[in-house]
Amino acid sequence: MSQIFRRSANTVSKFSIFGLLSLVGGLVLLAMILGRSSYVTRQGEFIEQPVQFSHLHHVLDDGIDCRYCHTSVETSAFAGIPPTKTCMNCHSILFSNTSYLEPVRASFRDDKPLHWIRVHDLPDFVYFNHSIHVKKGIGCETCHGRVDRMPLMYQQNSLQMEWCIECHRNPEKYVRPRSEITTMGYRPAVPQEVLGPQLVKEYGIHGNTSCSTCHR
C-alpha cells in the first residue's frame, strides 16, 4: 500500500504545532503586557478637568494641607471632593475676577457642583477605605505620589492588585508616623528598616491579604 503522506509531512506538522503554541503563548504574553501598560491602567495620564486645579500651587506654594480640601479622608472610606464653598473661602478674595475661575464662581453662585473627573478610579468590585489606611500610618504620598509636584493631577501608580498586595505583604516598608501622613517628601528620622517594624507593631498592622479584604 502506497504511503498517503510524504515524509516531509512530519516536519510540517511539527512546525505547525510549534507555531500554533508559539502564537498562543505570544498572545497570552501580549495580553499580560498590555494589561500592565499605561494604556489600560491610565498611569501617568493627565485628566482634563472643568478647572485645571494645580496641586503644585496649592500644596507646595501655598502650603495647604491635604485635609483642608479632602475633609473626610480620616473618617470615611472616601477622601471626598471639596464643595465649591471650600474654594471660595480663598477665591472670593484671591483672583476673584479672573476669567479662569469663572466656572468656580458660577458653581457657587448657581449652587451647582462642578463635575470633577475621578483620577484614581478603582473598579466597582474593589473596596478601598481611606480612613483605615490613614489610621495605620500610610501617607497620601505612598499611593498618590508627590502631588506637590503636579501642576495637573495624574495617577502615579498602576493601582493594580499586585501593587496593593506588595504593600500589604510588606507594610513595614511604607508605614510612617500618623503625624507625617500628609507630609510630601517624607524622610524618617531613623532608618525605615528600624522604624517600620516598630510602627507595624504599635499600629497593629497585620497586612491582610485575604481576598475578602478588598473584594466584598
Side-chain angles (χ1 to χ4, degrees), residues 30 40 44 55 63 72 75 79 89 122 130 134 140 157-159 165 174 180 196 198 201 213:
L30 179 62
V40 173
H55 277 81
S72 62
T75 58
N89 287 341
L122 291 173
H130 268 89
V134 170
C140 306
N157 296 294
S158 71
L159 304 186
I165 288 178
Y174 306 97
E180 302 289 346
Q198 293 176 353
K201 183 178 180 180
T213 302

Side-chain angles (χ1 to χ4, degrees), residues 98-133:
T98 179
S99 59
Y100 181 77
L101 294 177
E102 175 54 28
V104 177
R105 291 193 297 271
S107 171
F108 183 71
R109 184 175 58 246
D110 301 336
D111 195 25
K112 293 182 179 180
L114 290 167
H115 295 287
W116 301 98
I117 308 302
R118 184 181 293 275
V119 176
H120 298 81
D121 191 13
L122 291 173
D124 292 339
F125 56 80
V126 177
Y127 174 77
F128 178 86
N129 188 305
H130 268 89
S131 65
I132 190 63
H133 287 79

Side-chain angles (χ1 to χ4, degrees), residues 42 45-55 70 81 100 103-104 114-121 151-155:
R42 303 185 75 180
E45 178 182 333
F46 292 106
I47 306 297
E48 285 289 329
Q49 301 286 0
V51 178
Q52 296 305 326
F53 179 88
S54 172
H55 277 81
H70 302 289
I81 295 177
Y100 181 77
V104 177
L114 290 167
H115 295 287
W116 301 98
I117 308 302
R118 184 181 293 275
V119 176
H120 298 81
D121 191 13
L152 297 177
M153 191 66 185
Y154 61 88
Q155 180 183 305

Side-chain angles (χ1 to χ4, degrees), residues 153-207:
M153 191 66 185
Y154 61 88
Q155 180 183 305
Q156 175 73 39
N157 296 294
S158 71
L159 304 186
Q160 291 190 310
M161 186 172 71
E162 60 191 29
W163 174 76
C164 299
I165 288 178
E166 162 60 22
C167 185
H168 277 236
R169 285 175 175 167
N170 305 286
E172 66 279 355
K173 293 182 179 180
Y174 306 97
V175 65
R176 60 174 73 179
R178 294 187 181 115
S179 59
E180 302 289 346
I181 290 297
T182 63
T183 300
M184 293 289 118
Y186 163 75
R187 294 293 179 269
V190 297
Q192 185 68 24
E193 294 81 4
V194 176
L195 179 63
Q198 293 176 353
L199 292 177
V200 166
K201 183 178 180 180
E202 180 182 345
Y203 295 162
I205 300 173
H206 301 295

